[in-house]
């Protein structure tokens, strides 16, 4: 159990760092700095959330947390299951379910 938790924490921190670095360098670029990411467009179009410029930094951090959690769960499924087909099927459904649930919660948070 301790091995599972340490793997989860290491993968989560690594993935969160990669996502935050991505947003940091994306915002430094003048060409891509003002364009919303796919996740932001998804929240705006599907859930009707109005994005204010001041909220963008916090939204990027929340998106990074959500994406890091989803990737971490997928990687742990990949590490602990034997069958490749079973891994892919479970990872696909878990990813879709987590994206739907977590982005819905995030959209409700930003709508209020």
């Amino acid at each position: 159990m301790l091995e599972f938790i340490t793997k989860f924490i290491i993968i989560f921190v690594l993935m969160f760092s990669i996502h935050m670095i991505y947003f940091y360098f994306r915002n430094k670029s003048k060409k891509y700095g003002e364009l919303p990411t796919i996740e932001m467009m998804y929240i705006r179009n599907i859930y009707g959330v109005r994005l204010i410029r001041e909220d963008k930094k916090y939204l990027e951090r929340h998106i990074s947390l959500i994406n890091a959690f989803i990737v971490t769960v997928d990687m742990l499924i990949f590490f602990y299951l034997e069958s490749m087909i079973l891994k892919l099927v479970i990872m696909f459904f878990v990813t879709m379910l987590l994206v739907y649930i977590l982005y819905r919660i995030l959209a409700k948070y930003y709508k209020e």
Side-chain angles (χ1 to χ4, degrees):
M1 185 67 173
L2 185 61
E3 177 188 348
F4 179 80
I5 293 171
T6 54
K7 275 187 181 179
F8 183 88
I9 291 171
I10 290 170
I11 295 170
F12 182 80
V13 168
L14 183 66
M15 289 298 122
F16 180 71
S17 301
I18 290 171
H19 279 281
M20 288 307 292
I21 290 169
Y22 165 73
F23 281 123
Y24 177 77
F25 284 115
R26 180 181 170 89
N27 290 338
K28 289 289 183 181
S29 171
K30 291 181 182 176
K31 183 177 178 184
Y32 297 110
E34 296 300 319
L35 297 176
T37 62
I38 293 171
E39 295 92 347
M40 290 179 190
M41 290 180 359
Y42 175 77
I43 290 173
R44 184 181 63 199
N45 294 337
I46 300 297
Y47 299 109
V49 174
R50 298 277 180 218
L51 299 176
I52 303 169
R53 187 178 187 110
E54 293 81 27
D55 290 342
K56 189 175 178 186
K57 186 170 112 175
Y58 295 109
L59 181 62
E60 289 172 352
R61 192 171 301 137
H62 291 137
I63 288 172
S64 295
L65 284 169
I66 289 172
N67 288 344
F69 180 76
I70 292 170
V71 170
T72 303
V73 169
D74 283 344
M75 289 184 77
L76 290 176
I77 291 170
F78 184 79
F79 289 147
Y80 287 106
L81 290 178
E82 296 296 323
S83 171
M84 184 58 87
I85 294 173
L86 187 62
K87 285 180 189 181
L88 293 176
V89 170
I90 291 175
M91 285 170 58
F92 176 76
F93 286 114
V94 167
T95 301
M96 291 300 125
L97 183 67
L98 286 175
V99 165
Y100 177 76
I101 291 170
L102 295 176
Y103 279 109
R104 187 173 187 92
I105 293 169
L106 184 65
K108 283 186 179 186
Y109 174 76
Y110 275 96
K111 256 190 171 176
E112 295 177 353

